[in-house]
Amino acid sequence: MEQTIFQHMETVRGITKEFIQQIPEEIADIVPEGFNNSIRWNFGHIAFIQERLVFAVLGEELGVPSNYEELFSAGTKPADWKVTPPSLADILFVLTEQTTRIREAIQGNINKTLPAPFTNRLGITFHTRGETFLFSFYHEAMHMEVIKRIYRAITVE
């Protein structure tokens, strides 16, 4: 079962990586009317939240650049950025490298119990690393849909 989960991670992340490579830098920071964030923010947010759901919930060190929390955590937005965000190529590198670290950290540890139950903003409570990891696939897919909607809004205008 563990191999199936890792294969699913590679499939989901493959879709994300393929799409980020199609986005021109010049449109990555546009926030169309009706949206709160940009394409760049959503890709960075995917990487940051995956770190939190796999590593931070166990009190482990995050493997993303230190400014990702300031730029891409829940509740942040590009309008408030005080530092230059990473390029899409830099985010792609983080997304690519992240899957290797996750596989190494989780292999054989998918049922590792969290130090304390973790309840997310939706009110869902998780008890194991595997539960938070599996939820991250839903989170990534949800933000990929937002990215596609932003892209359509930008390219139709």
Side-chain angles (χ1 to χ4, degrees):
M1 183 59 145
E2 197 171 84
Q3 274 314 111
T4 302
I5 293 169
F6 289 131
Q7 182 58 47
H8 188 64
M9 173 186 68
E10 295 293 342
T11 299
V12 171
R13 186 52 56 90
I15 293 166
T16 301
K17 288 167 36 180
E18 185 176 314
F19 203 74
I20 196 172
Q21 293 176 73
Q22 298 173 23
I23 303 295
E25 278 287 336
E26 55 271 11
I27 70 165
D29 294 314
I30 297 171
V31 180
E33 189 174 329
F35 293 89
N36 296 322
N37 289 303
S38 65
I39 289 172
R40 183 184 322 274
W41 182 90
N42 277 276
F43 280 123
H45 180 72
I46 288 169
F48 178 71
I49 295 302
Q50 181 113 42
E51 281 298 301
R52 289 191 47 90
L53 290 173
V54 174
F55 298 103
V57 293
L58 283 168
E60 296 174 0
E61 188 175 318
L62 301 183
V64 294
S66 59
N67 65 350
Y68 271 49
E69 183 168 12
E70 175 187 355
L71 295 168
F72 304 123
S73 63
T76 63
K77 59 184 186 262
D80 296 336
W81 287 349
K82 294 178 182 10
V83 298
T84 303
S87 68
L88 291 177
D90 290 340
I91 297 171
L92 174 61
F93 176 81
V94 168
L95 289 167
T96 301
E97 182 271 339
Q98 190 176 54
T99 56
T100 302
R101 284 186 305 99
I102 288 171
R103 183 182 289 268
E104 290 170 358
I106 290 185
Q107 206 145 24
N109 294 308
I110 203 151
N111 293 317
K112 189 170 186 176
T113 303
L114 303 179
F118 168 72
T119 302
N120 69 9
R121 295 176 126 201
L122 299 174
I124 301 168
T125 300
F126 304 99
H127 301 278
T128 67
R129 177 180 248 174
E131 290 173 353
T132 60
F133 177 51
L134 290 171
F135 181 79
S136 75
F137 301 151
Y138 166 78
H139 178 264
E140 186 160 340
M142 183 179 65
H143 281 278
M144 280 304 302
E145 181 56 31
V146 171
I147 290 166
K148 290 175 183 177
R149 287 180 32 232
I150 292 171
Y151 181 79
R152 282 193 298 271
I154 292 169
T155 57
V156 168
E157 289 178 346

